[in-house]
Amino acid sequence: DPKIIQKPKYLVAVTGSEKILICEQYLGHNAMYWYRQSAKKPLEFMFSYSYQKLMDNQTASSRFQPQSSKKNHLDLQITALKPDDSATYFCASSQDWGEENTLYFGAGTRLSVL
Amino acid sequence: AQKVTQTQTSISVVEKTTVTMDCVYETRDSSYFLFWYKQTASGEIVFLIRQDSYKKENATVGHYSLNFQKPKSSIGLIITATQIEDSAVYFCAMRERNNNNAPRFGAGTKLSVKP
């Protein structure tokens, strides 16, 4: 059974709409991350949280907002969607925020914006 | 800011041979961690191997090993006795110890292993 669940697996949206990407991890990890993968920028870091606290942010646009309701949840809300937002969004987690901690990735949500 | 560069876009090898994938990094931190991850055709991303900058000995896990050349800011991934199922995209990543940053990834190298 997958330990990091991302929902939905595929998502089609229209330009200007809003979507929420869901991520739940059942590894007992304390840190969670969002990465985006597209042809233009492979595995681009977006956000990271540790114990529900924002630790690192590389996303310039305020249209992307992480939401952490529980330690093992880190959702990603995207507003005013643009075709350029089309990508696969990967959620990841690590045991702790420490530097040596390796990442475990979810299967990704493939977003297509028309 | 940390930066990771993989210049090899794709590599093709015959199975059972050895392949090396290059990765160079930039950092101002004196201590950092280097990682290699593999993304299969299904999209799954898995961790392979890690090198701590303060360790002189190259890391080895199964048929994966690293060629860590600190003066050159280089961390090559070596796969020996390649198998068809090693065909995937391989990503190098770095995380600095003293900057509170998440890991950053290189662009990836696509490896094709052929019979």
Side-chain angles (χ1 to χ4, degrees):
Chain A
D1 289 340
K3 300 298 184 183
I4 299 180
I5 298 173
Q6 289 191 244
K7 294 184 286 189
K9 189 172 178 62
Y10 301 101
L11 187 57
V12 179
V14 296
T15 297
S17 67
E18 173 183 316
K19 293 293 180 185
I20 295 179
L21 281 56
I22 306 294
C23 179
E24 307 170 344
Q25 57 89 4
Y26 296 94
L27 293 165
H29 288 174
N30 300 311
M32 296 185 71
Y33 312 74
W34 277 103
Y35 286 84
R36 174 170 58 188
Q37 185 176 41
S38 65
K40 296 178 182 178
K41 294 184 180 180
L43 278 177
E44 176 188 11
F45 169 72
M46 299 182 74
F47 300 97
S48 58
Y49 273 65
S50 178
Y51 288 97
Q52 296 183 266
K53 176 186 173 184
L54 180 67
M55 301 300 290
D56 192 5
N57 177 2
Q58 192 70 32
T59 303
S61 174
S62 59
R63 296 189 299 107
F64 296 85
Q65 291 293 326
Q67 299 172 345
S68 181
S69 59
K70 301 178 186 178
K71 191 181 78 171
N72 70 325
H73 282 233
L74 185 63
D75 300 337
L76 181 64
Q77 179 185 38
I78 313 174
T79 58
L81 278 161
K82 302 177 180 181
D84 263 357
D85 298 330
S86 297
T88 299
Y89 291 79
F90 286 98
C91 175
S93 69
S94 64
Q95 181 63 58
D96 290 298
W97 178 245
E99 316 80 15
E100 74 279 7
N101 283 267
T102 59
L103 300 179
Y104 293 77
F105 284 84
T109 291
R110 183 176 291 182
L111 172 65
S112 297
V113 183
L114 308 177
Chain B
Q2 60 200 50
K3 184 179 178 182
V4 179
T5 303
Q6 295 177 256
T7 56
Q8 298 161 305
T9 304
S10 63
I11 300 175
S12 182
V13 300
V14 176
E15 67 174 335
K16 300 180 184 177
T17 61
T18 295
V19 64
T20 298
M21 282 173 270
D22 301 329
C23 175
V24 294
Y25 56 90
E26 296 176 24
T27 179
R28 295 181 181 178
D29 203 335
S30 58
S31 182
Y32 45 90
F33 299 85
L34 301 160
F35 307 83
W36 280 89
Y37 289 82
K38 172 184 177 181
Q39 184 173 31
T40 62
S42 67
E44 181 186 20
I45 303 172
V46 295
F47 164 73
L48 293 178
I49 191 169
R50 183 187 95 209
Q51 180 77 38
D52 302 345
S53 65
Y54 55 86
K55 292 186 177 178
K56 293 185 178 180
E57 187 175 314
N58 289 322
T60 298
V61 176
H63 76 145
Y64 302 108
S65 62
L66 298 178
N67 179 19
F68 180 41
Q69 299 184 59
K70 195 170 183 179
K72 295 184 179 180
S73 297
S74 171
I75 184 73
L77 173 67
I78 303 168
I79 307 176
T80 57
T82 51
Q83 303 164 3
I84 302 295
E85 50 268 33
D86 290 324
S87 297
V89 178
Y90 290 82
F91 291 96
C92 177
M94 179 177 69
R95 190 168 196 173
E96 296 169 329
R97 175 184 285 277
N98 296 314
N99 289 324
N100 211 25
N101 294 338
R104 300 303 199 264
F105 285 77
T109 297
K110 183 176 181 179
L111 175 66
S112 298
V113 181
K114 301 181 179 180

